[in-house]
Amino acid sequence: MSIAVPRAAGRQVQRRGLALLWHQIRYEQLTFWRNPQSAFFTFVFPVVVIAIFGGLFGGIGKSEFYYGRSALQYYVSTIAAVSVLGSCYSQLAIVLAARRQNGMLKRVRATPLPASAYFVGLLAHCVVVSVVDVLLITVVGRLYGVSLPASSQLLALALTLVLGAAAFCALGVAVASLIRNAEAAPSVVQFVLFPLVFISGTYMPIHSGLLNGVAGALPVKPFNDALLRAFTTDHTGLPWRDLGVLLLWGVVGAVVAVRRFRWDPRAE
């Protein structure tokens, strides 16, 4: 009897925690879709980009410039990566800065919702948005003749997307913790992201050994490379080095976020 009661109480606490988490995920989804203009451009922008790239580069076959892939094979992967960056890093950092400034985070902190459930709910929402973006980009690429990922790469693709989304969410929260006000958020976010995207070969392959060495130690290029491998090869196995770099940056982002994140607005 004395053992059964604590076990029952533990299961009840677990069910309550899962219910709170599900409530937070649902809340984030409802908030996202209640802003149809933002939702529309979140999904349309990467689709328009890959459609334009299809018109510009659709006739370019496999070449050494694109590491033995066709131009569109390359760009489907990198535009998919940048769409995840937009959902999990840019938008998240800007949203958190705005919520902190308008007092929403302070009110959330005063509720029974655990901080872990709040941030896991945000992460799950970002993963869902990222997956939809990647699916749309893949469909548009297929219309231009780009093959779907091989079945042997589906596990690697799923793991890369989830780990990449988690890492960039952690970095987004970390950057949000350093932003002083909502007005500065877009500038700070782009100041960090803009150079990383270009030196990581998102819009054009980089063949400089020095730049590739630097970018390979940062999170964007390993994410690009892991997605490119998942989309364009049929080899079994996982890109352990790229996933390891993403994991490391995710841990760094999480540590900074835990140490520096503020729920209250900053005093001006």
Side-chain angles (χ1 to χ4, degrees), residues 100 176-181 260 262 264-268:
R100 182 175 59 218
S177 70
L178 305 176
I179 296 173
R180 296 195 64 84
N181 55 69
R260 297 294 304 270
R262 294 174 59 90
D264 299 336
R266 291 177 181 267
E268 297 294 337

Side-chain angles (χ1 to χ4, degrees), residues 78 80-94 96 122-123 126-127 130 159-176 189 192-193 196-197 200 202 215 217-227 242-243 245-254 257:
T78 59
V82 85
S83 71
V84 176
L85 280 168
S87 301
C88 297
Y89 167 74
S90 302
Q91 290 186 18
L92 181 59
I94 293 170
L96 285 175
L122 274 174
L123 169 62
C126 292
V127 170
S130 299
L159 184 58
T160 299
L161 286 175
V162 171
L163 183 57
F168 290 117
C169 280
L171 291 170
V173 177
V175 170
V189 167
V192 175
L193 184 61
L196 278 179
V197 166
S200 299
T202 297
L218 299 172
V220 178
K221 187 177 189 303
F223 190 47
N224 285 349
D225 291 347
L227 284 181
D242 296 328
L243 296 179
V245 174
L246 287 174
L247 178 61
L248 178 61
W249 278 100
V251 171
V252 170

Side-chain angles (χ1 to χ4, degrees), residues 27-266:
Y27 168 80
E28 294 296 341
Q29 284 287 302
L30 289 174
T31 302
F32 177 76
W33 290 108
R34 282 174 181 169
N35 188 347
Q37 188 175 34
S38 174
F40 177 80
F41 285 104
T42 295
F43 296 125
V44 167
F45 178 72
V47 169
V48 169
V49 170
I50 199 63
I52 292 173
F53 278 29
L56 293 174
F57 306 112
I60 301 178
K62 296 181 179 180
S63 69
E64 289 302 317
F65 184 72
Y66 292 106
Y67 309 114
R69 281 87 166 181
S70 69
L72 271 189
Q73 280 182 317
Y74 181 84
Y75 286 124
V76 164
S77 303
T78 59
I79 300 304
V82 85
S83 71
V84 176
L85 280 168
S87 301
C88 297
Y89 167 74
S90 302
Q91 290 186 18
L92 181 59
I94 293 170
V95 164
L96 285 175
R99 289 182 181 181
R100 182 175 59 218
Q101 183 163 315
N102 64 26
M104 183 182 293
L105 290 182
K106 184 178 180 179
R107 293 194 295 273
V108 168
R109 191 58 172 160
T111 68
L113 181 70
S116 58
Y118 183 78
F119 284 108
V120 172
L122 274 174
L123 169 62
H125 163 70
C126 292
V127 170
V128 170
V129 172
S130 299
V131 169
V132 174
D133 260 336
V134 172
L135 288 174
L136 289 173
I137 292 167
T138 303
V139 168
V140 175
R142 187 73 188 95
L143 296 177
Y144 283 98
V146 177
S147 300
L148 295 174
S151 58
S152 60
Q153 283 295 312
L154 292 181
L155 175 60
L157 178 60
L159 184 58
T160 299
L161 286 175
V162 171
L163 183 57
F168 290 117
C169 280
L171 291 170
V173 177
V175 170
S177 70
L178 305 176
I179 296 173
R180 296 195 64 84
N181 55 69
E183 289 76 14
S187 300
V188 174
V189 167
Q190 290 305 315
F191 176 77
V192 175
L193 184 61
F194 189 77
L196 278 179
V197 166
F198 276 92
I199 69 169
S200 299
T202 297
Y203 297 112
M204 181 178 293
I206 304 297
H207 294 281
S208 164
L210 177 60
L211 275 181
N212 279 328
V214 172
L218 299 172
V220 178
K221 187 177 189 303
F223 190 47
N224 285 349
D225 291 347
L227 284 181
L228 182 62
R229 183 181 187 275
F231 270 102
T232 61
T233 67
D234 57 2
H235 302 304
T236 57
L238 297 171
W240 292 110
R241 183 189 180 281
D242 296 328
L243 296 179
V245 174
L246 287 174
L247 178 61
L248 178 61
W249 278 100
V251 171
V252 170
V255 170
V256 173
V258 169
R259 292 177 63 88
R260 297 294 304 270
F261 190 79
R262 294 174 59 90
W263 296 83
D264 299 336
R266 291 177 181 267

